[in-house]
Amino acid sequence: MIITLSFPSTDKALKNHVFDSKIVRSEMECTLTCLLNEKCESFNFQDNSVGARHICELNDQTRLTSSHDLLQRNGFSYYGSELVRKEIRVPYLHMHLSYNVYICKLFLVFQ
């Protein structure tokens, strides 16, 4: 697994690809909601809210597959994962194996 550190895209959201919307208490809850949903590829998180209620929008696409839909949206942050296709050579077997590697984005939250 390849892990990269990254910050969310602040004041941006992926439009036209939201398939579910939830009320959550934190970014971590939104992240877990996405990770537990097989269809979820990215999410938009409402940063500014009153109290501990935030909107968490689950997307079925990422900024890489729909870059034209990553738009300005005040008060929201976009979080996404990237899927990279890798090919490895196995010299003794004279064959190629393909596999998908998720680049996990860890988002640091400072309080």
Side-chain angles (χ1 to χ4, degrees), residues 25-104:
R25 291 176 293 233
S26 66
E27 287 169 294
M28 182 59 74
E29 186 177 346
C30 191
T31 301
L32 290 173
T33 301
C34 182
L35 287 173
L36 293 173
N37 189 311
E38 192 173 298
K39 189 176 177 182
C40 186
E41 296 291 328
S42 66
F43 63 89
N44 307 316
F45 178 77
Q46 180 191 25
D47 297 311
N48 59 353
S49 68
V50 177
R53 297 173 58 88
H54 303 268
I55 297 171
C56 173
E57 297 175 336
L58 306 181
N59 301 313
D60 60 7
Q61 297 287 318
T62 69
R63 67 175 178 86
L64 297 178
T65 56
S66 300
S67 60
H68 58 281
D69 286 330
L70 185 63
L71 303 172
Q72 183 76 25
R73 188 172 178 194
N74 293 335
F76 276 78
S77 292
Y78 165 82
Y79 294 80
S81 62
E82 298 173 4
L83 182 62
V84 177
R85 186 166 180 80
K86 296 285 183 184
E87 190 173 276
I88 58 174
R89 295 175 188 260
V90 183
Y92 299 108
L93 299 177
H94 302 289
M95 61 185 279
H96 296 282
L97 300 176
S98 293
Y99 63 97
N100 293 325
V101 175
Y102 276 98
I103 298 177
C104 300

